[in-house]
């Protein structure tokens, strides 16, 4: 972990328009101010997937103002945990970082009905990550 008491997590997927946005939103929401959260994409889209925005709205989290961000070496270096979601070899590797690869279906091009199970699986994994980090999920 970093020298600060607050762990930092980076979520990475190709377009930073679906899975990584949902994961970052859940960790921000459930981790409150006890986790630093970043998300990025190796080839960011121009906007977050509207079906993802709607699915997250149904879960009580508004990500409509989020914008996909490009993955930078600095973001990886500043993170304690890097969670990839289908970005392949595009993620830089730095010794001493904890890397996890979450195999999740890509919500790109899918409607909200198909996004809901992906959203729910991401929430389940975020709750597990919080437990691993010793942080109680916010209500």
């Amino acid at each position: 972990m970093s020298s600060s008491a607050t762990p930092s997590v980076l979520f990475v997927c190709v377009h930073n328009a679906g899975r990584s946005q949902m994961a970052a939103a859940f960790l921000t929401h459930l981790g409150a101010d006890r986790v630093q959260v970043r998300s990025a994409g190796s080839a960011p889209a121009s906007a977050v997937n509207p079906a993802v925005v709607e699915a997250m709205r149904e879960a009580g989290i508004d990500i409509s103002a989020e914008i996909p961000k490009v993955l930078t070496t600095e973001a990886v270096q500043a993170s304690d945990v890097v969670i990839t979601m289908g970005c392949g070899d595009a993620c830089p590797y730095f010794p001493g970082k904890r890397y996890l690869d979450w195999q999740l279906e890509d919500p790109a091009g899918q409607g909200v009905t198909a996004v809901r199970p992906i959203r729910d699986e991401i929430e389940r994994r975020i709750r597990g990550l919080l437990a691993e980090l010793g942080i109680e999920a916010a209500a």
Side-chain angles (χ1 to χ4, degrees), residues 13-17 21 39-48 67-71:
C13 66
V14 175
H15 300 298
N16 190 222
Q21 290 283 351
S39 72
S42 54
S46 59
V48 176
I67 299 168
K69 295 164 279 307
V70 68
L71 176 63

Side-chain angles (χ1 to χ4, degrees), residues 35-120:
V35 183
Q36 291 179 342
V37 183
R38 298 176 182 85
S39 72
S42 54
S46 59
V48 176
N49 178 335
V52 167
V53 172
E54 179 58 30
M56 292 302 289
R57 184 176 290 122
E58 291 174 359
I61 301 173
D62 181 9
I63 63 169
S64 62
E66 294 298 325
I67 299 168
K69 295 164 279 307
V70 68
L71 176 63
T72 65
T73 301
E74 293 78 21
V76 177
Q77 289 176 317
S79 301
D80 298 309
V81 181
V82 179
I83 299 177
T84 59
M85 303 170 175
C87 72
D89 295 333
C91 285
Y93 177 82
F94 293 96
K97 303 290 175 195
R98 179 177 174 202
Y99 287 86
L100 300 172
D101 185 45
W102 288 358
Q103 298 294 320
L104 297 160
E105 188 175 345
D106 189 349
Q110 300 193 53
V112 70
T113 302
V115 173
R116 287 181 188 121
I118 302 167
R119 173 201 65 199
D120 296 345

